[in-house]
Amino acid sequence: MISPEKHNRMANAIRFLAMDAVEKANSGHPGMPMGTADVATVLFSRFLKFDPKNPLWPDRDRFVLSAGHGSMLLYSLLYLTGYEDMTIEDIKQFRQLGAKTAGHPEYGHASGIETTTGPLGQGIANAVGMAIAEKKLTNEFGAELMDHYTYVIAGDGCLMEGISQEAISLAGHLKLNKLIVLWDDNGISIDGAISLSDSTDQHARFRASGWNTLSVDGHDPEAIAAAIEEARKSDKPTMIACKTVIGFGAPTKAGTHKVHGSPLGADEIAATRKALGWGEDAFTVPADVLDAWRLAGLRSTKARKDWEGRLAAADADKRAEFTRRFAGDLPGNFDATIDAYKKKLAETKPTVATRKASEDALEVINGVLSETLGGSADLTGSNNTKTSQTKSITPTDFSGRYIHYGIREHGMAAAMNGIALHGGLIPYSGGFLIFSDYCRPSIRLAALMGIRVIHVLTHDSIGLGEDGPTHQPVEHMAALRAIPNLLMFRPADATETAECWQIALEQKHRPSGLALTRQNLVAARTEYEEKNLCASGAYELVSASDAKVSIFASGSEVEIALKAQAELTGKGIPARVVSVPCFELFAEQPEDYRQAIIGSAPVKIGVEAGIRQGWDSIIGSDGIFIGMSSFGASGPYKELYKHFGITAEAVVAAAEAKLG
Ligand SMILES: Cc1ncc(C[n+]2csc(CCOP(=O)(O)OP(=O)(O)O)c2C)c(N)n1
């Protein structure tokens, strides 16, 4: 039992660490940690199941600070509860270059940072994914190995962002009752009072989305505790509105936007020390308070040991599977399975759309990988992401392996990040490439965090035809290639599709996207090759000695390149074809390989039904690019290719014109 006095001192330790760190850095957000210190103290000292000495314990509760600007709240909690890699020196280095204590919490910088937050709304949506993962793994491995809560502290900003609606309606639908959101209801954002820009009844909104809601005084520890207690018993996800005062304790600035994102200043800090009865120097936590916090950090040691006992006592196969899945390793027979499948493809040489080729590859993959968790944003039949193994998950039955995310691309991509961060599962999803714009912020965060999520992005060009320019990606490959640490694949046939899937699944530390066609493509690869040729990013598909023309193409345009090559050869012009399924992997190859693939033919032509941006790195600024320079149009796809001049004839004509 923590006395009210002890509670206050524990909460004040957070407040002063936040104030002092922001003051020293001369930048940051003190108001939010000061306001939510009581809520966080109750959560971390009485409820959260976690072990700072074993931060990756798979069955720990997940805590997400969705309001990432309040990062000092999290750093203070990690230091106070005894995470070894968060020292007082790290706190003093807040916001300095190279410090773990970055401006916003960054996944991987220190233990206990469960996700990168800062872009408002992402954290709450990640937490939905974590709660999905928990419920799925409980179903699969039993409550003895997986049985934890996911807690979120979210601010007004998180709830105002559109992504939060996608997240909460998905969570409500799936009845994620172990998801508990503590809303920092302080009525303040940067511009001033929330009433300047919003008058939503958040309770009505959450309830309409299938949530349980509660209200508490966010500075009353017993009320907070009672609400969390109640939330944990709910059969729905719960939002607890915690009425708080931003910058609690600061005599002149509390309750105003002035304390949101600027240092308080020496005078106000001194006055706050007086007001809260805190006599310590900056960055000094009194021994009794630190002891109380360290004890809070030890609370779950027994639970963790009991859990380890249950894992050790589990059936050997189950234990091995659980351990492998949380290590993120693929099963030993994975490569051999892909290899056998590639042999089959070399025999059958199917003419098939790559979205269908992806489905066929997934049928093989999902047969050997129990950890894949598929889904689509309501385009299952178009994305071809559902296979015979992936029964649909329903609110009452999580034995399936497929999530109907609904028309919620952004919520889906953010939930996938949460699923990947949770561990034990590899999420892949489906959507149209054009709507990668709708989930780009979450894809970017996956890349920044370095996590394995895989986006199946179909209908990847004007090749989708009649749906027209609103649905035809033009700049999307270039835009996605611009995101660092994201692998974008555009395979040319069934074999390349299988290879790209293999590479994507092997990436433990980066996300991937597969841009796939709606239209059928003939097989570009007709011979079996043991080596994964796509792994080099670009490789020679057809060689020619003394080539005068090199044609580089990706995806559906490889077929055009092959036709053009044959025509050029027929005219006595030696030409070669390079397939370019992945720019990023090609850029990573040794310089001699890159030079050999780019070659020395006097004419270099790039063919892709998208914009030129990025292609100059392969064809040079004097290269010829045959692709799109405008939006597309509605019509049958073969006519569109002619209309926009993306044809073998155009390639041949351009080569001849350049050769003179
Ligand atoms: C997507 C996004 N848009 C804008 C911002 C910039 N921003 C950071 S905090 C903030 C205000 C948030 O208000 P609230 O959630 O009420 O936080 P509090 O003022 O209570 O700390 C804004 C607009 C952001 N971080 N993310």
Side-chain angles (χ1 to χ4, degrees), residues 32 69 118-120 155-157 161 184 186 188-190 194 246 260:
M32 187 273 171
H69 59 280
L120 297 171
D156 300 300
E161 289 290 351
D184 178 23
N186 63 20
I188 293 289
S189 66
I190 294 178
I194 293 298
I246 190 167
H260 162 90

Side-chain angles (χ1 to χ4, degrees), residues 298-611:
L298 294 172
R299 272 179 31 256
S300 311
T301 311
K302 182 174 179 318
R304 195 255 308 156
K305 283 188 180 149
D306 290 350
W307 179 88
E308 281 171 356
R310 292 195 297 277
L311 180 66
D315 168 79
D317 286 348
K318 183 171 165 180
R319 182 172 64 242
E321 177 73 354
F322 186 93
T323 308
R324 175 187 75 74
R325 299 247 308 247
F326 269 88
D329 297 330
L330 300 179
N333 58 348
F334 176 65
D335 284 344
T337 306
I338 296 286
D339 205 45
Y341 178 56
K342 274 171 57 175
K343 278 188 186 139
K344 202 178 117 198
L345 289 175
E347 281 162 24
T348 55
K349 307 182 195 356
T351 291
V352 68
T354 47
R355 62 173 172 156
K356 174 72 177 123
S358 169
E359 179 184 344
D360 295 343
L362 276 171
E363 184 67 34
V364 173
I365 289 161
N366 288 337
V368 280
L369 258 61
S370 53
E371 58 268 49
T372 47
L373 184 60
S376 167
D378 199 47
L379 291 166
T380 296
S382 300
N383 302 145
N384 300 50
T385 38
K386 201 165 191 296
T387 65
S388 67
Q389 306 87 351
T390 56
K391 193 169 70 123
S392 298
I393 278 176
T394 73
T396 49
D397 181 1
F398 265 59
S399 63
R401 285 172 58 187
Y402 195 84
I403 300 175
H404 294 276
Y405 285 103
I407 307 102
R408 301 182 181 100
E409 286 87 355
H410 202 180
M412 171 176 76
M416 288 165 68
N417 290 354
I419 292 166
L421 288 162
H422 181 279
L425 294 162
I426 301 175
Y428 74 84
S429 71
F432 283 159
L433 178 59
I434 193 91
F435 301 129
S436 59
D437 285 341
Y438 272 45
C439 52
R440 186 178 175 88
S442 303
I443 296 176
R444 182 178 192 274
L445 283 169
L448 176 60
M449 289 191 268
I451 55 174
R452 176 168 44 191
V453 298
I454 303 170
H455 291 275
V456 170
L457 300 160
T458 68
H459 297 59
D460 72 343
S461 75
I462 53 166
L464 66 87
E466 292 81 353
D467 272 345
T470 58
H471 282 51
Q472 291 163 351
V474 171
E475 75 281 24
H476 295 75
M477 283 302 291
L480 289 163
R481 284 171 181 151
I483 299 178
N485 202 39
L486 169 67
L487 295 185
M488 275 308 297
F489 295 100
R490 195 161 180 265
D493 71 355
T495 299
E496 281 201 2
T497 304
E499 289 187 346
C500 293
W501 261 112
Q502 182 177 26
I503 301 162
L505 286 160
E506 283 166 352
Q507 304 301 310
K508 267 190 177 183
H509 300 296
R510 53 185 167 179
S512 301
L514 283 89
L516 305 172
T517 67
R518 172 172 185 259
Q519 74 273 29
N520 280 345
L521 304 176
V522 297
R525 290 267 292 279
T526 50
E527 304 292 326
Y528 165 72
E529 295 265 359
E530 189 183 351
K531 201 170 158 211
N532 186 324
L533 300 182
C534 292
S536 310
Y539 64 93
E540 197 168 66
L541 202 53
V542 180
S543 59
S545 49
D546 296 326
K548 291 270 181 295
V549 181
S550 285
I551 312 171
F552 304 85
S554 81
S556 37
E557 286 67 66
V558 169
E559 193 173 314
I560 292 171
L562 289 170
K563 260 195 212 147
Q565 190 274 342
E567 278 182 39
L568 286 167
T569 309
K571 292 177 175 225
I573 303 171
R576 57 195 278 273
V577 174
V578 173
S579 178
V580 191
C582 181
F583 272 36
E584 298 78 23
L585 290 175
F586 185 53
E588 287 172 10
Q589 300 311 306
E591 194 52 29
D592 54 348
Y593 179 80
R594 283 178 43 77
Q595 286 312 328
I597 290 299
I598 289 171
S600 52
V603 178
K604 297 191 185 72
I605 306 179
V607 197
E608 185 173 72
I611 61 166

Side-chain angles (χ1 to χ4, degrees), residues 116-181:
T116 294
T117 52
L120 297 171
Q122 294 288 336
I124 187 171
N126 293 160
V128 170
M130 292 175 187
I132 288 173
E134 192 269 348
K135 195 165 171 178
K136 167 75 201 138
L137 294 170
T138 305
N139 179 285
E140 199 175 344
F141 291 100
E144 70 274 16
L145 292 188
M146 190 54 49
D147 182 13
H148 70 78
Y149 289 90
T150 300
Y151 296 97
V152 181
I153 294 185
D156 300 300
C158 294
L159 301 196
M160 255 194 252
E161 289 290 351
I163 188 175
S164 70
Q165 186 54 38
E166 296 185 17
I168 69 171
S169 60
L170 181 62
H173 170 72
L174 290 175
K175 296 198 189 311
L176 302 177
N177 62 312
K178 287 157 89 180
L179 173 63
I180 298 174
V181 171

